Amino acid sequence: MDLPPSTPLIPVSSSNVANQKASARQEIIWLLKNAIPLVISYLLQNSLQSVSVISAGHLGASELAAASLASMFVTVTGLSMVMGTTLCLDTLCSQAYTSSHCDKKVVGLHVQRCLVFLTILFLPIMALWWFAHDIFLLLRQEQQVALLAGRFVQWMIPALPAFALFESLKKMLQAQGLFRAPTYVLFVGAPFNVVASYVLVWHTPLGFIGAPIAASLTYWLLVLLLVVYIVYVGGSEVWPTRKWHASSSMGGVLDFYAYGPILKLAIPGILLICSENWAYEIIALAAGWIDGDATTSQGAQSVLVTSVAMFYTIPFGVGISAANRVGNALGAQRPKQAALAAKTALVAACLVALVNASVIFFCRHQWAYLFTDDEQVVALVSKVIPIVAVFIFGDNVAGIADGVLNGQGRQHVGAWFNLAAYYLSSLPLGFFLCFSRGWGLQGIWFGLMISLLAVAVATVMVVLRSDWNLETINAKNRSSQETKDL
């Protein structure tokens, strides 16, 4: 269960060996226990997009292609931008909540400022979504597919602010140790989405556009339920109710100069999330250029990317849990506790990564049958999986290590590593091996594997060499920028 408000998120550290071992056990238990609701939330939240594609896709081949194209476009150009931006709250909220140098209502103030920044960011995104039909035509999509996909994206516009509100409020609760609240909300929202999508698509004149309308309604339901939880169950004590203007004693929500810390963390966060998503889309296009049976290569690539996403669910939960644990410890000015939490997260990263890589490797000959009955796709997938298994190991370790860096407020490290790995290493090397050396899909994934292993090693080394005393000072300085008198 979630920690009650009276329970300290960061226990008092102990000096003797026995207590240190006990603390290490407590850290691993805390980390994994709180990662479980995050994993469930991640799975349920991802199902919202999948249900929309499935519901609309059963109307016909054009509808399936359009829904898939629109879902990809919405994720890459909008939802990933929101997720990257809200990574700043992993740092700011978790450190502020346990800091003795600022009022806990600063946590809510950070959320309010993040939402203001996202509102400004929405303007170009919504314009892009409104003209999505024209963009799809420029990308030489079939006219009927482009028309349907454009309408799908337009009806997803109302979902964008709801998604931003849900993500931001979720981060606010996680900083307080309330990890299960979003899971409870999604246990209601996910079934609602299934029912709403089925009814609107198949039993109303809306038809195809019923799927995005159902998704938009679901996101707003999630926001409403989360607000009800915050108001009536827990988490509202960090929400400030005034100071929307700038003042001399404390920067308000609309104080321009107070957005420096937000931008410093949000922009690298966007690069960290989006650089990977964009790279996968480039690879998906490249799979269609491989000589021979392009359809088989594209099918195999779809199976592999979906599998990588599936095996990232547990590392994702552990990474978010680690970010909040490290951030809470730094905010409480406990560098040794933060270091212990970071090392525990890295140990968990290696264990989780090893299990995930082993599962897909030993099941490589049967794995693709979960997605398709096409024997050529199955054969190609089983051929590439040994490389993908090693990639998954590196990707999982790097993802959890990035969570530790997010807790420190060093999102820029992961962002630069990702940009270098995908655009200076993975894609050039992978395309060279694929097209110039004739390795095909194996070449693309070999380039990804080499680069992500290097990123994993580099990110772990950065975490292990962290100056934790300096990080606590940085956390203190972030908190001290806000007054205690809200």
Side-chain angles (χ1 to χ4, degrees), residues 394 397-399 401-402 414 416-422 449-461:
V397 171
D402 280 337
W416 286 119
F417 281 167
N418 262 16
L419 286 170
Y422 285 107
M449 178 195 75
I450 294 296
S451 300
L452 262 293
L453 281 178
V455 167
V457 172
T459 309
V460 168
M461 291 303 298

Side-chain angles (χ1 to χ4, degrees), residues 32 257 456:
L32 295 178
Y257 296 101

Side-chain angles (χ1 to χ4, degrees), residues 24-36:
R25 286 195 299 271
Q26 290 172 356
E27 285 295 329
I28 191 70
I29 292 171
W30 189 96
L31 188 69
L32 295 178
K33 183 181 72 172
N34 288 292
I36 291 172

Side-chain angles (χ1 to χ4, degrees), residues 332-354:
Q333 297 295 288
R334 294 181 181 170
K336 291 183 179 179
Q337 191 75 32
L340 177 61
K343 291 176 182 176
T344 302
L346 294 181
V347 171
C350 292
L351 292 175
V352 169
L354 182 61

Side-chain angles (χ1 to χ4, degrees), residues 61-140:
S62 295
E63 286 82 357
L64 175 60
S68 301
L69 178 64
S71 179
M72 177 272 292
F73 186 81
V74 164
T75 299
V76 171
T77 61
L79 304 189
S80 61
M81 300 283 282
V82 173
M83 293 183 69
T85 299
T86 56
L87 284 182
C88 69
L89 299 178
D90 285 338
T91 304
L92 297 173
C93 292
S94 62
Q95 292 183 2
Y97 185 68
T98 53
S99 175
S100 61
H101 302 281
C102 66
D103 191 293
K104 284 182 172 52
K105 291 188 183 294
V106 170
V107 174
L109 184 62
H110 287 314
V111 173
Q112 291 176 352
R113 288 173 178 163
C114 183
L115 289 171
V116 171
F117 173 72
L118 283 170
T119 301
I120 298 172
L121 192 63
F122 288 164
L123 298 177
I125 294 175
M126 288 180 174
L128 189 71
W129 286 14
W130 185 257
F131 295 103
H133 170 228
D134 298 316
I135 295 171
F136 294 143
L137 288 176
L138 288 174
L139 294 174
R140 297 186 177 181

Side-chain angles (χ1 to χ4, degrees), residues 186-244:
L186 281 160
F187 271 132
V188 177
F192 172 85
N193 183 55
V194 174
V195 174
S197 187
Y198 174 75
V199 171
L200 294 180
V201 171
W202 294 96
H203 294 283
T204 72
L206 293 172
F208 179 78
I209 63 169
I213 291 174
S216 296
L217 290 173
T218 301
Y219 279 120
W220 280 108
L221 175 64
L222 293 176
V223 172
L224 176 62
L225 293 175
L226 203 58
V227 169
V228 170
Y229 183 97
I230 291 169
V231 173
Y232 293 103
V233 180
S236 62
E237 58 272 13
V238 301
W239 189 262
T241 56
R242 60 185 191 279
K243 298 284 186 181
W244 279 83

